[in-house]
């Protein structure tokens, strides 16, 4: 049980897909101009990565290693199509807002990376928790970026106006340039957090 | 113990260099500040109270951010060397006089904290910090950054366009009409009694400041001459082709206007010569200046913005490492 918890936990902080592994930065820039689209994208990726990890770990013994990448991609594409159809049916506005990036989940580096490096070598249960942890980490990172960009760039969070009319929002936060700067500083901040936690961990193991 | 009591009799042994130049970062920076000051004071006088507020806000906030970052990073505090003062001053001089003053502080923050200290501080920044601050403001508040006011004799503020804007939108004839006649226009551009950013208007004071820097050998004369020359020649050849009132053909442009309008003079003398962000060799600096001139002309004549000095210098800053690589001086005694 303990090891499952650590599989889950590592994806959130110590190996956060965006801030530590720096994989799939493209959606982290492109869809994070508002908190709502960030959350939708984060949840979609979380679903896809978890499901795909389960599928890959189930079929890992029957797939010829030579053709594994096309097989994984087919599996990812199927799950992404499910997400796409569901969003199109129940949340058409969000579907439009995410645009091409929803279909592009198929080629997100983080999903194939987890399938390659984890799910293809582990059994179902650890793969599920690894995918869930990575998905949660991705979602958390996207929501942090989205909330900050929306707050500074539009004065609101999840569409709710927090800052009054006096706030003359700088457009740069909505544009990619501001996203790059913010992600850079968040990566720095995340590194400080991880180092701090490792120091605490080392102190605890010594004591 | 008694023998080593008096250190004064011992010889002082140190490694080379033994003869040092009297130049230092702080002396150069303060000299540049002094050379910029007349044009800034003219802008403050000509554009009035809000321009003074912007200048003060730019300088004070730049110095404050420099101090704060160095305190946080636990580095020696070097605000007295004038480099942060210079960044703040240059930034404020490149802003329109009607900008809300607090936006200047945001620009200073981006210039000092993000463009300078996030890259490692003075000497390590890739881009000219003042221009990064200006570009960030341009992207953040495009309306405020392109709203210009004209000071009329009746001391009231009339919203109007910069000369480059008029040229881009209405053509050369309309441009001359706004000044009355051609010689009035050149006079206004030369003396700085025209619309534009706070510190960029007064050509004569900027050129004098720049010439003093060349005389002191703080900047190479090749850089401003090549950059201004490139802009002059290219606008003379191609400037007439893109006139909105109808093409005037080749060699019908107005090089004198293009040289004195916009931020070219301040950019060529004070921004393109920033020691940190341009190539090291003279050959590299000439390539840099020519490239910046070409890009300025392309943005002015073909691009969406009426003015392109800021972006052209930033774009050439990106190429500085590459230019340096191809312009390495030959080793002494090497063949070929």
């Amino acid at each position: 049980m303990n090891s499952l918890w650590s599989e889950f936990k590592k994806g959130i902080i110590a190996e956060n897909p965006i801030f530590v592994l720096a994989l799939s930065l493209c959606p982290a820039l492109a869809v994070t101009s508002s908190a709502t689209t960030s959350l939708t994208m984060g949840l979609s990726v979380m679903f896809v990565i978890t499901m795909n990890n389960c599928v890959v770990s189930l079929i890992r013994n029957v797939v010829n290693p030579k053709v594994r990448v096309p097989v994984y991609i087919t599996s990812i594409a199927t799950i992404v199509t499910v997400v796409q159809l569901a969003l199109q049916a129940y949340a058409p506005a969000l579907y439009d807002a995410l645009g091409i990036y929803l279909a592009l989940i198929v080629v997100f580096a983080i999903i194939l990376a987890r399938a390659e490096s984890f799910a293809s070598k582990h059994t179902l249960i650890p793969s599920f928790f690894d995918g869930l942890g990575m998905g949660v980490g991705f979602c958390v990172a996207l929501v942090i970026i989205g909330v900050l960009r929306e707050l500074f760039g539009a004065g609101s969070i999840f569409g709710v106006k927090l800052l009054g009319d006096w706030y003359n929002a700088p457009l740069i936060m909505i544009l990619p340039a501001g996203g790059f700067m913010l992600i850079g500083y968040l990566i720095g901040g995340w590194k400080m957090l991880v180092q701090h936690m490792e120091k605490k961990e080392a102190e605890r193991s010594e004591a | 113990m008694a023998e080593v009591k008096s250190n004064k009799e011992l010889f002082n042994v140190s490694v080379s260099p033994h003869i040092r130049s009297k130049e230092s970062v702080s002396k150069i920076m303060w000299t540049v500040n002094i050379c910029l000051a007349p044009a800034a004071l003219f802008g403050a006088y000509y554009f009035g109270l809000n321009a003074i507020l912007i200048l003060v806000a730019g300088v004070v906030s730049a110095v404050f951010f420099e101090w704060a970052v160095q305190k946080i990073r636990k580095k020696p505090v070097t605000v007295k060397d004038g480099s942060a003062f210079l960044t703040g001053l240059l930034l404020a001089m490149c802003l329109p006089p009607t900008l809300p003053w607090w936006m200047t502080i945001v620009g200073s923050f981006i210039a000092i904290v993000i463009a300078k200290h996030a890259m490692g501080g003075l000497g390590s920044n890739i881009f000219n910090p003042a221009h990064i601050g200006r570009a960030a403001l341009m992207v953040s508040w495009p309306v405020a950054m392109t709203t210009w006011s004209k000071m009329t004799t009746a001391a009231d503020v009339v919203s109007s366009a910069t000369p480059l804007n008029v040229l881009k939108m209405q053509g050369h004839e309309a441009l001359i009409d706004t000044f009355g006649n051609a010689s009035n226009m050149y006079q206004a551009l030369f003396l700085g009694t025209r619309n534009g950013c706070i510190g960029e208007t007064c050509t004569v004071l900027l050129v004098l400041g720049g010439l003093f820097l060349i005389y002191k050998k703080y900047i190479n004369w090749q850089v401003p001459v090549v950059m201004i020359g490139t802009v002059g020649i290219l606008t003379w050849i191609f400037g007439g082709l893109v006139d909105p009132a109808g093409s005037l053909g080749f060699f019908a442009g107005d090089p004198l206007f293009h040289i004195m309008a916009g931020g070219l003079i301040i950019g060529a003398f004070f921004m393109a010569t920033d020691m940190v962000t341009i190539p090291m060799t003279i050959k590299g600096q000439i390539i840099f200046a020519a490239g910046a001139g070409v890009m300025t002309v392309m943005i002015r004549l073909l691009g969406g913005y009426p003015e392109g000095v800021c972006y052209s210098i930033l774009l050439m800053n990106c190429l500085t490492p590459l230019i340096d690589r191809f312009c390495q001086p030959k080793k002494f005694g090497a063949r070929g």
Side-chain angles (χ1 to χ4, degrees), chain B residues 40 84 89 94 154 157 160 167 213 222 224:
Chain B
L89 185 64
C94 295
V157 180
S160 77
L167 180 70
L213 289 182
Q222 287 94 335

Side-chain angles (χ1 to χ4, degrees), chain B residues 16-254:
Chain B
S16 61
H18 302 292
I19 302 168
R20 286 164 194 275
S21 154
K22 282 188 185 127
E23 307 295 353
S24 65
V25 171
S26 92
K27 192 179 166 208
I28 294 175
M29 291 295 175
W30 283 116
T31 313
V32 178
N33 279 326
I34 289 166
C35 290
L36 271 172
L41 289 175
F42 174 82
Y45 161 75
Y46 182 66
F47 291 109
L49 186 64
N50 201 48
I52 298 171
L53 264 178
I54 291 174
L55 286 168
V56 172
V59 168
V60 171
S61 60
V63 172
F64 170 76
F65 287 132
E66 174 107 343
W67 175 84
V69 169
Q70 286 176 333
K71 278 278 168 201
I72 292 168
R73 288 181 69 202
K74 300 194 176 65
K75 298 267 168 179
V77 175
T78 56
V79 289
K80 281 185 195 151
D81 71 5
S83 66
F85 190 100
L86 179 62
T87 301
L89 185 64
L90 274 175
L91 172 70
M93 288 175 75
C94 295
L95 296 176
T98 44
L99 195 79
W101 59 270
W102 57 267
M103 285 184 188
T104 321
I105 298 178
V106 179
S108 288
F109 176 83
I110 289 170
I112 295 287
V113 178
I114 293 178
K116 188 175 169 192
H117 281 288
M119 302 280 174
L122 182 67
S124 306
N125 47 314
I126 313 170
F127 297 105
N128 188 320
H131 266 170
I132 287 281
R134 183 184 194 275
L137 289 180
M138 191 78 192
V139 176
S140 296
W141 291 286
V143 177
M145 283 294 288
T146 47
T147 306
W148 310 89
S149 73
K150 189 181 199 169
M151 302 296 151
T152 59
T153 42
D156 54 4
V157 180
V158 181
S159 169
S160 77
T162 60
L164 274 172
N165 225 329
V166 175
L167 180 70
K168 183 137 202 154
M169 297 302 153
Q170 295 160 29
H172 195 251
E173 254 178 66
L175 172 72
I176 290 177
D177 282 346
T178 57
F179 287 97
N181 59 41
S183 66
N184 272 358
M185 177 178 83
Y186 294 127
Q187 194 190 358
L189 287 168
F190 188 66
L191 296 176
T193 53
R194 56 136 173 136
N195 227 340
C197 296
I198 296 168
E200 69 173 26
T201 59
C202 190
T203 307
V204 58
L205 292 178
L206 287 169
V207 169
L208 286 178
L211 288 177
F212 183 72
L213 289 182
I214 292 171
Y215 164 73
K216 294 287 281 182
K217 294 203 173 70
Y218 290 164
I219 64 177
N220 292 315
W221 61 269
Q222 287 94 335
V223 176
V225 166
V226 169
M227 185 169 172
I228 294 170
T230 313
V231 171
I233 292 169
L234 288 178
T235 50
W236 176 53
I237 300 176
F238 300 110
L241 290 176
V242 291
D243 199 282
S247 174
L248 305 169
F250 284 103
F251 300 104
D254 187 346

Side-chain angles (χ1 to χ4, degrees), chain A residues 14 34 39 53 75 102 138:
Chain A
S34 88
L39 183 65
N53 263 12
S75 151
L102 205 54
F138 185 86

Side-chain angles (χ1 to χ4, degrees), chain A residues 45-110:
Chain A
V45 169
M46 192 163 94
F47 178 77
V48 174
I49 200 171
T50 314
M51 287 297 119
N52 184 58
N53 263 12
C54 293
V55 171
V56 168
S57 101
L58 282 176
I59 60 169
R60 71 186 193 280
N61 292 326
V62 293
V63 175
N64 186 331
K66 281 180 185 162
V67 293
R68 67 187 190 287
V69 173
V71 173
Y72 296 162
I73 292 282
T74 315
S75 151
I76 299 168
T78 314
I79 301 163
V80 168
T81 311
V82 172
V83 173
Q84 240 182 326
L85 290 177
L87 270 178
Q88 202 173 6
Y90 296 105
L94 278 173
Y95 176 80
D96 287 341
L98 289 175
I100 186 76
Y101 290 97
L102 205 54
L104 278 179
I105 296 178
V106 177
V107 287
F108 279 4
I110 181 64

Side-chain angles (χ1 to χ4, degrees), chain A residues 136-203:
Chain A
V136 171
F138 185 86
C139 190
V140 166
L142 245 63
V143 170
I144 292 176
I145 301 168
V147 163
L148 289 175
R149 281 181 75 180
E150 197 183 339
L151 178 66
F152 289 117
S156 57
I157 291 178
F158 289 108
V160 182
K161 200 113 184 108
L162 289 182
L163 303 172
D165 289 335
W166 55 267
Y167 186 68
N168 193 343
L171 276 181
I172 194 168
M173 291 310 290
I174 299 287
L175 295 169
F180 272 115
M181 284 187 209
L182 186 70
I183 291 175
Y185 276 89
L186 282 174
I187 287 175
W190 206 264
K191 201 158 179 134
M192 278 169 69
L193 177 77
V194 171
Q195 278 173 352
H196 180 75
M197 282 172 59
E198 277 170 0
K199 219 163 111 189
K200 277 277 156 67
E201 195 80 8
E203 278 169 13

